[in-house]
Structures are given as C-alpha cells and as structure tokens.
Amino acid sequence: MKYNERELLIIWLDSFKDIEYKHKRALYDLLSGKSDLKRNIESNAREISGAIGETGYNALVSSANSDYLKDTVARLANAGERAVTMASDDYPDSLKEIPEPPLALYCRGNVGLLHENLFGVVGSRKSIPLSLSLAKEFSGELVKNGFTLVTGTAEGVDSEVIKAALSVGKIISVAASGLDNIYPAENTALIEKAAKNGLVISEQREYVKPMPYMFPVRNRIIAGLATGVLVVSGRLKSGTMHTAGYCVDYGKDLFAVPYSVGIESGAGTNELIKRGANLADSPNDILSYYGIEEKREEEILFSDTERAIVSALKEDALHIEKIAERTGIQIYELSSAITALEIKGVIAKNGINTYGLIRNREI
C-alpha cells in the first residue's frame, strides 16, 4: 500500500502512544505540508516540548527519519492492515463531522464498506435469549434491505449482529483494542471471519492491548459512522448507553427495542424511549422511518401443534408446562414443535424452559 505524505505524517505521529490525541492533532496541523520533518520539529522546539515535554520532543526528533517511517509502515503491512487516515480519500465524511475524529482507522477487510449506507446495531453482552433473537432478526432484515451494519466485537448482541451480516459481508466490526488483541479473546475467530468477509477496524495499532477506557472511546466511532443506531438491549449503566449518548450528541437517529418491566438488560432501552428514542419492536419501524419498503418475508408454514403454541404465546412468555396447560398438548409433543419454531425464528427461549414470541405473527 502506497501512502501520500500527509497520510505518512499521521501514521508516523500515531506511532507515539504516549502522546495525547490533542497534541497529535496540533502536531499534524503544525507539520503537515512541510518538506523537512526533522528541521521543522527543531524549528518549533520550544512550542513542541512545552506541549509534550522534553522526552516526547526527543522521541519525535530521533524518529524523524525515513528508516523509522519505513519500519512503521512495514509493521502495518505485516499485520495485514491498511491505515485509512484523516488525509486519506477513503476516510468517511461522517467521522470528519464528529468531535475528535480518529486520526487513523487501522483496517482489515473491505475498506469500501466505509462509504456504504451504514447503520449501527448494539446491545448488552449479557442479554436474554429473546434479545439475541431480536438482534439476529433486525440485523438480517436491515442487511436484506440495503444497510451495512456497524457493531462492536463483544459476545452477546454484537456477535449476533456479525453472524447475521457475515453471509453477505455487510458488516463493520469496530474493536476497542488493536486487531491482534481482540476482546473478548473467545471472539477472535468470529472477528477474523468478519475481516475476511466484511471489515474490522480500530483506531489502535494491532499490538495495543484492551484497556477499560478504550471501550467508551471506541463507541463514538460506531455512532459517528452510522446514520442511525438501534439499541437492542442495555442496562441503565452500560456501554450501549454510552453509544446512545454519542448518537444523541451527534444528531444521529436513535432507535430502541422496548422491554417488559423487570428485565434488567431492557431497562436502558426503555429509558431511551422515555427520552425520545424511536421505539422499534420490528425491523419495519426502522425501514419505514427511512422510506424503505420492507421486502416481504417468505411464508412460514406451521403445523397444527406449532399454531397452537404461537397462539398460546400471543400475550406473554410462558413456561413449557403452562403452554401444555393452555394448549392441551403433552410436553413430549411440544418439545419438537418448540425447537422447530426456534429454528424458524418465531419464538425464543426466555429463561429456563420459558418461551416467548420474537414478535407477533399472523398465522
């Protein structure tokens, strides 16, 4: 990959992890467009050392040479990454409009996805099974109707979003840490698939390990990239609420799935709806908001037993024993029908042997 002079300056500046973001931005403005990097650093010695200290200044001076830069770019290439910087043509306009946009996005996969119709889907790592089913359903419908999805790298909702979009490659997964240190480690294989079929990005170099502060900072990128964001689940104090906050601050469209009272992972989404987020209990609530006509689903065929189960669950989630009581069908007969309905995406487990409709369907 060949980079222009301004891109190389950003890649060089971003290699110094002990220099704060605001100072890197100021240094970029000060040094860009200048022909002799080392000479220009030395000519601004007092200003630069006053901002980043003598140690930082000395590090810049000693590294302002072609060998250091070649090594930095080579390490990037060896990691299988491409840097999309603020000076790159591929840098998304949506991120340029947010406060403190990333200096660079370190990318593995299809960089062209950064310029597609992006929509964020986020939620809690510890979501109830119903939430995971909803994440899968919403994501599948949004992708089918023209959106490329943006999410994180966590287990739970993030993972379901990635899986739903992987088959068509319409997924951008945003990592908080470097791409060689995916958190959680258990999701490394899934994120590698996302890089192969979609795109994985981070503002951290590949070797950077995850730190707690990186996750809320990362969430600004998800909100910044997306036209709108759906919060599938989230506690009142959670990373998803941080993403929602950025969404509001940036003037993006915010959607939230409503929950029954008493579900901890739904308390945050209910609070967002109270504050004015768009209620979304089906993908069509989002699609119609953007003037998109939902593509019709293929007709789902039901057996008599499956019909009886769906009818019993119209009002509320029920334990399998209660379903048997309402339908008059023996539990051993219900089990296979319940499994079939789960596979068809009609119901989801909502606790131990308790099931609920993902959303009401006409049968």
Side-chain angles (χ1 to χ4, degrees):
M1 177 67 198
K2 191 170 183 179
Y3 299 99
N4 64 42
E5 287 187 5
R6 290 178 183 269
E7 289 175 308
L8 290 171
L9 176 59
I10 290 175
I11 293 169
W12 176 76
L13 283 170
D14 209 32
S15 71
F16 302 100
K17 291 304 173 185
D18 292 331
I19 299 178
E20 293 181 37
Y21 172 92
K22 64 180 181 180
H23 296 314
K24 290 179 182 178
R25 282 296 306 270
L27 285 166
Y28 174 70
D29 292 338
L30 180 67
L31 300 172
S32 60
K34 308 294 176 59
S35 57
D36 190 323
L37 181 59
K38 185 175 181 178
R39 180 179 297 175
N40 278 288
I41 293 171
E42 291 174 338
S43 65
N44 291 280
R46 180 175 296 181
E47 181 181 352
I48 294 173
S49 60
I52 65 175
E54 188 175 348
T55 300
Y57 170 79
N58 289 335
L60 291 182
V61 171
S62 63
S63 304
N65 58 73
S66 59
D67 288 341
Y68 179 91
L69 185 56
K70 286 178 182 178
D71 181 64
T72 302
V73 172
R75 289 183 65 181
L76 195 61
N78 291 338
E81 294 185 3
R82 173 182 171 185
V84 175
T85 77
M86 292 176 61
S88 304
D89 291 338
D90 284 322
Y91 194 87
D93 291 337
S94 57
L95 286 185
K96 293 178 182 177
E97 297 171 358
I98 70 172
E100 299 187 348
L103 287 172
L105 299 172
Y106 298 102
C107 306
R108 291 179 182 172
N110 180 9
V111 172
L113 292 177
L114 290 170
H115 301 283
E116 296 204 357
N117 192 11
L118 305 181
F119 190 89
V121 182
V122 297
S124 174
R125 292 182 295 109
K126 297 179 180 179
S127 293
I128 61 175
L130 176 61
S131 301
L132 301 182
S133 295
L134 286 170
K136 179 180 179 181
E137 180 187 13
F138 273 85
S139 298
E141 289 299 313
L142 290 169
V143 166
K144 187 168 69 177
N145 285 277
F147 287 101
T148 293
L149 304 185
V150 185
T151 193
T153 63
E155 67 270 41
V157 167
D158 290 1
S159 294
E160 293 302 316
V161 175
I162 294 169
K163 291 173 187 175
L166 264 181
S167 61
V168 289
K170 298 293 186 178
I171 182 66
I172 298 176
S173 180
V174 187
S177 57
L179 301 187
D180 282 346
N181 291 281
I182 293 298
Y183 183 87
E186 292 78 9
N187 262 14
T188 298
L190 178 63
I191 300 306
E192 287 176 351
K193 289 180 182 177
K196 183 177 180 180
N197 296 327
L199 177 65
V200 181
I201 65 175
S202 175
E203 65 178 321
Q204 306 293 341
R205 283 296 300 264
E206 73 283 352
Y207 49 79
V208 177
K209 295 182 178 180
M211 299 292 289
Y213 77 88
M214 294 177 181
F215 293 88
V217 171
R218 179 275 313 272
N219 293 342
R220 85 191 194 285
I221 299 176
I222 296 175
L225 283 171
T227 299
V229 172
L230 170 68
V231 180
V232 177
S233 62
R235 291 169 171 77
L236 285 171
K237 293 183 178 180
S238 62
T240 53
M241 293 296 279
H242 285 137
T243 306
Y246 285 123
C247 197
V248 173
D249 291 343
Y250 301 162
K252 302 300 183 79
D253 303 320
L254 181 61
F255 302 82
V257 174
Y259 281 80
S260 300
V261 174
I263 299 177
E264 187 178 0
S265 62
T269 64
N270 286 347
E271 180 63 24
L272 292 175
I273 293 168
K274 289 178 189 176
R275 296 180 190 175
N278 297 288
L279 186 154
D281 60 8
S282 81
N284 194 50
D285 291 324
I286 299 171
L287 298 175
S288 61
Y289 182 92
Y290 293 110
I292 300 170
E293 186 175 347
E294 186 175 18
K295 293 182 179 179
R296 298 186 64 180
E297 300 174 339
E298 293 182 8
E299 184 180 359
I300 299 176
L301 301 178
F302 296 95
S303 68
D304 291 342
T305 300
E306 291 168 359
R307 288 175 183 276
I309 293 169
V310 172
S311 295
L313 296 175
K314 283 286 187 181
E315 299 301 325
D316 200 4
L318 298 173
H319 189 277
I320 192 170
E321 292 181 354
K322 194 69 175 179
I323 298 173
E325 180 183 321
R326 289 197 180 180
T327 61
I329 300 171
Q330 296 295 317
I331 289 178
Y332 72 86
E333 294 181 77
L334 289 174
S335 296
S336 61
I338 285 173
T339 300
L341 287 171
E342 287 182 287
I343 293 171
K344 292 174 181 178
V346 177
I347 69 172
K349 187 175 285 187
N350 193 11
I352 299 175
N353 289 325
T354 300
Y355 301 88
L357 291 179
I358 293 177
R359 56 188 175 93
N360 287 333
R361 296 175 182 270
E362 297 298 324
I363 63 171

